Amino acid sequence: MNTSPIVSGLDTLHQWRQQLILALQDIAGLTADLGLLPSGTMLKMETLARDVQRTALRVAFVGEFSRGKTELINALFFADGVPTAQPDLSRKGSRLLPSSSGQTTMCPVEIQGLHTARDGQAHTEANSIQLLPIASRTLDVPIERLKNAKSAWQRFPLPLDDAQKRGEALARLTETICVDIEEARKMGLCPPLNRTPKGMERTVCPTCGLGKVRIPRWRHAIIHMDHPILNAGLTVFDTPGLNAIGAEPELTFGMLADADAILFLLGADTGVTQSDLSIWDQYLARNSQQQQIVLLNKIDTLWDELQEAAAIQAEIAQQVEKTAQQLRIAAQQVVPVSGHQGLVAKVRKDERLLKRSGLPALEQTMADILVPAQHAAIRKICEALVKNGLSEQKSRLQEERQRLEAQKQSVLSLKERTEEKVPKLIAQHQALLQRFHADRLHFEAQSQRFHQAVEEHLLTPLSPHDFDVIINQARAEMLSAWTTGGIVERLRRFFSEAIAHFDRALSGAQTVSEGFAAEYQALQAQYALPDLKTVPYAMMPRRAELLAMAETYERFGKTMEIAVNTQGAVVRKMFLTVAMRTRDFVMETRRDAEGWVDRIMAVMDQQLQRFEAQTEEELQALQQIAKAVEFVETRVQQLEQALMEVQSKEERLNQAALPFMKLMAKNLSLPY
């Protein structure tokens, strides 16, 4: 059988990305060698290749229990089994993830390559499964931060060569434990006593005994596996059903929101159930910018040997149309498929069954949507920074060339002048330098005032301590609010306070920017310094992002089923997730603002140093000319050599930029 379109597309994307990384490394190396940019910009250029390397296509499979998510993942990506050191050619293939009856995964599962983890670093040197105990729900620490705490996780080897041991390791994903009801409530996994259905106060799960309930053993799982498609940049995210999503707000606000694409699974045998509709309305439909594909899985349940093929297809088409209407989406967004039959067809090399399963059509749809979207996202990361960096370096070299040419003409004209004019020019340059030194000392004396203004007007409104106070006060008040209106109102006030701080910082940025410009323009007018080629820091777009976050979370808060689901633990975790993401966003803005100030000061200082060095160089040349007229010829040769070096740098820069520009202009020719 031919390689699936999505696998081929990811491989093509991976090859393009590796070429891009090499081009970025060449540009970064040359940029560091030339030394024409401020240190902060050069650092970003140096780390860009690593940022591109760690970009992964994150695909999340979402749906209620028993919708066939894990089986579909097996069919799409792991139908050929797993790569081993000594492959068994007689083996026809098998499931990688447990998906048979009674083996439902009970916690969210991330499947990553060994070298394509989200932070761009290899978490392990061998295949393994990493599990976070369910008891960690009692901690007010998001899962993303717990990923950096190795002691919080349990790690087990994942022997790919041994099917039995591999199955035993992966079976841990299905494990449950019995705990006291009160312990489950502390973890936010059971409703409060006054909301427990009548007759269920003493026990929930008969197999656990009185006063106990069965819960998942693990809160989160990460599988690290040396697999070509995973190492090429794919991260697969398998989620449990509605109960797990609703009880873990971080799934909604973090992992699912950060996924590049969502595959929402429905059952062709069940249609759109009420729980399916809840998942769609509360967690998925609100993110219209995300790539989303709705899958009508298990269409093989509609296959009837007593019916004509055309009648079966008509029934499936009717199910697709009905599903699209219920979810308020276009019918083209709904793809009918049978993950199980697709897996069987791939293992048995049955082309006819594979086509009937609808899996090739799904793979084509995923390739057509996901690969170009990821290609565009990587280009977006690179284009602005690299093109601006190249343009700024070319501008610096052009300025240097113009300066050298002007000096050359000046020296040649000196040759024609009488000797009595040279001392006069020397005196003029000495007076210019003396005046410049005095003005520069005054300018440097203002730096303390600049930093005070930055701290007072720009950084203080974005103080982490102030936001911690806002978060703690809001969390305390939210825990006492047990109605939808109360929670939504407190959430709105939290964002209002955050935006007010943002507005103060926005006004402060304008004040600081005007102060910088005024001081520099005074020197610029007197000494003909170049324009300040530093892009002003734009906080307005970040304020718009904060407003969009506020609108999104407020809309989600209104959809929460407070009467059933609101519990102390869940509300605390929901707000903690929202608050920490907002705090991280504000702190990122603060860091960007600090970097902006440092870049402005660095560029201004660089321009002043360049003027001083150039003037001193010209003075030294005049002094040499005064000593010996024959030095004029030597100086001309020096300037011509300097011009040749500038030209060489321009050519090297153009040569290094050429592969990058070609890759940016290249449309991926996908092999399907």
Side-chain angles (χ1 to χ4, degrees), residues 575-607:
F575 178 73
L576 178 63
T577 300
V578 173
M580 293 309 295
R581 287 175 69 86
T582 304
R583 186 186 188 277
D584 290 345
F585 178 84
V586 172
M587 292 307 102
E588 180 182 349
T589 302
R590 178 187 171 97
R591 288 191 295 273
D592 285 351
E594 290 175 331
W596 166 67
V597 172
D598 291 339
R599 286 195 298 275
I600 288 180
M601 297 297 292
V603 170
M604 288 192 295
D605 188 64
Q606 188 180 58
Q607 298 287 15

Side-chain angles (χ1 to χ4, degrees), residues 108-179:
V109 181
E110 292 182 66
I111 310 173
Q112 304 175 344
L114 293 187
H115 306 291
T116 56
R118 192 170 181 178
D119 58 4
Q121 301 294 327
H123 284 283
T124 177
E125 295 298 328
N127 303 297
S128 65
I129 179 170
Q130 188 174 315
L131 299 168
L132 181 65
I134 194 67
S136 64
R137 287 178 57 90
T138 60
L139 305 174
D140 285 336
V141 182
I143 293 176
E144 282 301 317
R145 296 193 178 179
L146 285 174
K147 288 181 180 180
N148 297 322
K150 293 184 179 180
S151 61
W153 299 75
Q154 295 186 28
R155 189 186 302 275
F156 302 92
L158 184 61
L160 299 183
D161 291 332
D162 190 323
Q164 180 178 351
K165 291 182 178 179
R166 183 180 76 244
E168 292 173 355
L170 292 172
R172 290 183 170 89
L173 302 175
T174 68
E175 291 178 339
T176 58
I177 55 175
C178 287
V179 299

Side-chain angles (χ1 to χ4, degrees), residues 28-41:
L30 180 57
T31 298
D33 185 33
L34 296 178
L36 298 171
L37 298 178
S39 58
T41 304

